[in-house]
Amino acid sequence: MVRAQAEPVTLAALVSLSGLHANTLREHLDGLSRMGLVERHSAKPRGRGRPAALYQATDNDLEPMPEYAGLAAALAATIHRTSSAPSDDAADAGLEWGRDLARARGAAPSRSEVVARREVVALLEELGFAPRTDSRVSTVRLTRCPLLEAAYRYPEIVCAVHRGLTQGALAAYGGDPDNVELIPFAEPGACLLHLTADSAG
């Protein structure tokens, strides 16, 4: 979302664009800043009070450390070789991971399905998936994969983990995980993630 802005943007503007609570966005922005993906600086003073903080994406791309990418590939290979239901086992692992990630970010069930979906998209952005979505957050284009090489080799495992991750996080934020459908490599340069029943094929 920050990367899509042509100019540095305020927290208030991001709240308006995303529909997320300011505290939630601030936590995500702090995380992206620690990862070197977002810079924060102050706007020029206007009258009294503290100048607004401006956020801008850096030129850095989030790439997994080679050893972690290698570890992911090794784990996927092990599941592929030893599991009688590799896709199901991978999805279960992703489900737990998604719940843990959401809880670590202070997830609380939302009364709005749209807000819950926006929280998940914000999490996916923080994880490096570069999500692009519509206004209802019903269909999400994942334009980057942090584990692309492993996903090409073991799509039924790596993509199942990512589907489970989305389901676990969505459930933690109060959304309906049963509506999640992930279509790997659905179009050039992107996977498609459906978060609502009417967006799924």
Side-chain angles (χ1 to χ4, degrees):
M1 182 167 49
V2 179
R3 191 173 293 278
Q5 308 308 310
E7 301 289 337
V9 64
T10 64
L11 179 65
L14 291 172
V15 168
S16 178
L17 285 168
S18 68
L20 296 175
H21 191 278
N23 289 339
T24 299
L25 267 177
R26 192 177 288 111
E27 289 177 9
H28 286 299
L29 289 166
D30 287 346
L32 291 170
S33 178
R34 287 192 297 271
M35 296 162 70
L37 300 176
V38 166
E39 290 178 340
R40 173 183 167 166
H41 53 91
S42 296
K44 292 180 181 178
R46 289 186 176 181
R48 296 181 178 180
R50 183 184 303 173
L54 294 175
Y55 296 91
Q56 185 172 23
T58 67
D59 293 330
N60 296 332
D61 277 330
L62 181 63
E63 296 289 349
M65 295 175 66
E67 57 267 32
Y68 288 123
L71 174 61
L75 290 172
T78 299
I79 293 173
H80 178 77
R81 187 176 64 253
T82 62
S83 173
S84 60
S87 182
D88 290 343
D89 288 344
D92 287 344
L95 195 70
E96 193 62 34
W97 185 29
R99 288 191 192 118
D100 288 346
L101 287 172
R103 288 171 185 153
R105 287 157 176 77
S110 170
R111 286 177 288 183
S112 165
E113 286 273 345
V114 173
V115 171
R117 295 195 296 269
R118 284 179 177 151
E119 292 275 12
V120 172
V121 170
L123 173 60
L124 292 172
E125 180 165 6
E126 190 171 325
L127 291 174
F129 287 92
R132 303 290 179 265
T133 189
D134 54 33
S135 60
R136 291 183 58 245
V137 202
S138 56
T139 297
V140 184
R141 295 176 68 249
L142 303 176
T143 63
R144 293 189 72 253
C145 178
L147 299 172
L148 185 60
E149 183 177 344
Y152 273 132
R153 292 174 63 188
Y154 303 103
E156 76 282 7
I157 296 170
V158 175
C159 299
V161 169
H162 292 160
R163 184 184 74 247
L165 182 159
T166 303
Q167 290 175 311
L170 188 59
Y173 285 116
D176 186 352
D178 293 336
N179 290 331
V180 173
E181 180 186 5
L182 176 62
I183 306 175
F185 313 115
E187 56 186 56
C191 299
L192 285 183
L193 179 64
H194 297 295
L195 298 180
T196 62
D198 59 345
S199 69

